[in-house]
Each structure stands twice: as C-alpha cells, then as structure tokens.
Amino acid sequence: MMQSTHRKQNVFVIYGGYTQEASVSIRSGQNIIDTLDDSLFIAYAITFFEQTIVCVLNGEKYKMDLNTFSFITHDGRKINPDYCFIAVHGAPGENGQLQSLFELIGIPYFSVNSRISALTNHKYHTVCYVKSHDVCVAQNHYINNDHYDIDVICEKMAFPFFIKACKNGSSIGVNKAYSKEQADQFIKETLKIDDEIIIEQSISGREFTIGIFTLDNQITITSPSEELLIENNIDFLSHENKIDSTKNITLTVANVDKLLLLKMQNFVRKIYGIFGNKGVMRIDFILNDNDNELYFLEINTIPGMSPQSIFPKMLVAAGMTFSHFLTTTIREAIENNTSQ
C-alpha cells in the first residue's frame, strides 16, 4: 500500500456514522481535514449515506468499494488510500469493525487494533479486564437485556450510583440515580438504546483525564486535566451538558503535587500497557477521597478531535501542535504499515 514519498499521500478521513455520536464525529473529521498539511497529504472525506459508505468530493458522492476501500471518480480514476484516519465515534469506528476491514485489506489506519477496539468499546468488559490486572475500579453490577431485579440492585449498590449504556460514548445513556424509583426509570430508558448496562458506584473525589500515545517510538503522557463543573446545578458531565454551550464547564490542567503526578503517570502507563502500548488513548480516572487511591473510570481509543474536544487541547498543553501530531502519526503508520 505504501508508495513513493515524492507524491502527496491519500488520507481517507472517516467520520459520521449512524449513532448519536455522529454529530461529534463530523466535527472531529472536519477539523482533521482542515488541519492536515496539504503539502504532504490529500484529504478525502469519507462518510455514511443511506446504509453505505461514500466519499464526498466536490459535492459529489462516490460509493466506496469495501473490498479495497477505494472509489472510482466520474472520469475513471481509482483513488486508493495510503492511510485511513478513523474519526467515527461509536460503531463502526470504535467497536473493531472498520479496524478488522483495514487489517484484512492491509491499509494502515488510526486506532488501536480490532481486538482492543472491540474490548474497549464495551464498558463492562473493559472494567473487568483492567480489574483482572489489579487496577482499582468502582463496585459495579451488570445488566443484560431487560433481566434485572431493582431490589437486588439497590441492596447491592449504595446511592448514588451511575447507570451507563455499555456500548455508547460521549456520556450517551449515562445517568446518576439517587433513589430506587429514579434508578428503575433510568435503567428502563437506557435499555431503549443499549441492551447491556453497567451500574457503577459513585466515588467521591477529583476526576482526571490523561492522554497517552506513542510517537517517534516514545510514549507521551499529557498533563492531567480535570473538568470543573462551575454551575451548582451540574452534578456530572452528562451528554447534554457536554453539547450545551451555555453550560459553564471548563477543562484545566490539574494542580497536583509531584508525588501525585508520578502516581498518575504510572497508573496511566500501566493501563496503556494492559492494552498493548499502541494507539492513542484518553484515560479517565478518579482520586478516591476515602482511600486516596486512583480508580479507573473509562478509556477512549478514538478521542474527539474537534477544536472543542479535550484531546487537541491536551496536545497544546504538552507543547505539540495538532498538525504535527497528525503528520507524525500518519507518516509513522504508513512507514510501518500498521495501526496508530
């Protein structure tokens, strides 16, 4: 798939999709296209239309040949990708489907591999996996389909607790329950969008997020950031709060001492290693007020890439431009013909 470095390389930026996260994905994809160095790359917008995948070029839609993930223009030119940048949040971008396709064809792409994608796309499986590697996680309860007993759940879990759809991101299908009636209502609502649910005990403490990735054969760990919910009526960062520009929410580099910073870096590096030391990950965790330990919350293997997203801001805080990150990531993956 790799061709001469003297020509511009074709980068297929894949975004959109059929889930509730499509709007976030579209903003990510457009920002990637706008930021790519056009002296090195030709960016093609690849998206979803009427149950198929198309390239949108000069206002025209070209159906993708999924056997080669290429398309043919009206004048008969076949356009093949040198690299595929997956910016699809949710299925089929974060559940291993696109990754499996590109691995089969032999196209380097942006993401962890298909196995890790499938695992980390499922919140309950992810929590169980990191727990098996001696990482602290919140007490939890798993619901499959509509088979649950609200009395058993309320006996096992202390209020408040979170109810989360297992296979959704961007806080879609996440609610915080303070009573049995509220919990039952939220479970029923969440089962309408996902047939699997994880219920997690709420932990009192400071919540952080850190980005980690490999460039130039070196692991880079960004500074820990924390979201400050300024308004008194915001209890947690729900999907509605994330997309509501009127909410007074800010992301800031966390003020932590050197010992805690080292503890966080070791914690994140361990989790990155558990999942293969590859790709880009944003890892969310909380410092428990009760035992002063770090507890794993969630992992994002295709973090948002829009100007408003957390990850590009993390890069800036780390002294790296988004353009440099994209260029280096793509070039390394093409040279090695791997995912990244």
Side-chain angles (χ1 to χ4, degrees):
M1 187 60 62
M2 183 177 172
Q3 301 184 27
S4 171
T5 56
H6 296 294
R7 68 164 180 84
K8 294 182 182 181
Q9 291 164 318
N10 296 333
V11 177
F12 285 15
V13 181
I14 310 156
Y15 60 85
Y18 303 110
T19 72
Q20 290 177 278
E21 299 178 78
S23 60
V24 179
S25 174
I26 290 170
R27 292 195 295 272
S28 291
Q30 191 57 58
N31 191 42
I32 293 164
I33 290 171
D34 292 343
T35 307
L36 279 173
D37 187 340
D38 58 12
S39 70
L40 301 173
F41 308 111
I42 302 175
Y44 292 91
I46 312 296
T47 190
F48 299 78
F49 179 74
E50 294 182 350
Q51 302 303 311
T52 190
I53 303 178
V54 299
C55 174
V56 180
L57 181 63
N58 298 325
E60 298 282 345
K61 295 183 179 70
Y62 299 89
K63 186 175 180 179
M64 301 295 297
D65 178 355
L66 297 186
N67 292 310
T68 58
F69 211 74
S70 62
F71 67 94
I72 297 176
T73 63
H74 290 320
D75 58 4
R77 291 180 299 122
K78 183 178 182 180
I79 308 297
N80 293 300
D82 294 295
Y83 182 83
C84 287
F85 200 110
I86 303 174
V88 180
H89 305 309
E94 285 185 294
N95 63 356
Q97 290 178 314
L98 284 177
Q99 292 84 351
S100 295
L101 175 64
F102 298 147
E103 288 164 7
L104 183 65
I105 299 173
I107 303 172
Y109 61 87
F110 176 83
S111 173
V112 295
N113 65 36
S114 58
R115 182 182 67 85
I116 297 300
S117 294
L119 173 59
T120 56
N121 186 60
H122 194 287
K123 289 183 175 65
Y124 180 68
H125 293 166
T126 303
V127 165
C128 292
Y129 190 67
V130 298
K131 183 180 179 181
S132 72
H133 288 79
D134 298 320
V135 174
C136 293
V137 300
Q139 182 180 356
N140 58 73
H141 182 84
Y142 171 68
I143 295 175
N144 187 6
N145 294 315
D146 58 353
H147 305 297
Y148 72 94
D149 187 324
I150 192 64
D151 292 319
V152 171
I153 293 171
C154 293
E155 287 176 8
K156 177 181 178 180
M157 309 288 292
F159 291 106
F161 52 72
F162 286 97
I163 297 162
K164 301 180 179 181
C166 280
K167 302 184 290 291
N168 280 273
S170 299
S171 296
I172 294 170
V174 176
N175 287 288
K176 192 173 184 180
Y178 288 86
S179 67
K180 175 181 174 180
E181 294 72 25
Q182 204 174 43
D184 198 33
Q185 174 191 342
F186 288 151
I187 290 171
K188 285 181 169 62
E189 290 177 358
T190 305
L191 284 170
K192 293 177 182 178
I193 63 171
D194 197 333
D195 59 355
E196 295 179 272
I197 291 175
I198 180 173
I199 297 176
E200 288 184 312
Q201 193 69 61
S202 177
I203 296 174
S204 177
R206 292 173 68 187
E207 187 173 337
F208 302 92
T209 185
I210 287 182
I212 183 167
F213 53 90
T214 302
L215 281 184
D216 296 323
N217 296 315
Q218 291 186 336
I219 294 176
T220 296
I221 303 176
T222 69
S223 298
S225 301
E226 58 183 329
E227 290 155 339
L228 302 180
L229 310 183
I230 305 300
E231 293 190 2
N232 292 330
N233 63 335
I234 299 179
D235 188 23
F236 74 100
L237 199 56
S238 66
H239 176 68
E240 290 73 22
N241 288 333
K242 282 184 176 181
I243 63 176
D244 187 348
S245 60
T246 67
K247 297 296 185 183
N248 194 5
I249 302 168
T250 185
L251 180 76
T252 183
V253 175
N255 182 18
V256 297
D257 61 44
K258 291 182 179 179
L259 286 178
L260 180 55
L261 177 60
L262 180 61
K263 184 176 183 177
M264 290 178 172
Q265 291 171 336
N266 290 337
F267 179 81
V268 169
R269 189 184 292 270
K270 178 178 181 177
I271 294 171
Y272 193 59
I274 289 171
F275 292 108
N277 282 321
K278 286 187 176 181
V280 174
M281 298 181 184
R282 205 196 75 227
I283 298 169
D284 300 340
F285 56 95
I286 191 166
L287 178 64
N288 193 326
D289 285 341
N290 293 327
D291 58 14
N292 207 36
E293 292 294 334
L294 299 175
Y295 281 67
F296 172 84
L297 294 177
E298 292 186 14
I299 189 169
N300 191 331
T301 58
I302 301 185
M305 298 286 179
S306 74
Q308 295 78 31
S309 297
I310 296 172
F311 186 74
K313 295 176 182 178
M314 288 178 161
L315 293 176
V316 173
M320 182 183 300
T321 66
F322 189 38
S323 176
H324 174 75
F325 168 79
L326 293 176
T327 296
T328 307
T329 296
I330 294 169
R331 284 189 147 181
E332 284 187 0
I334 291 175
E335 288 173 4
N336 299 321
N337 195 27
T338 61
S339 62
Q340 171 64 350

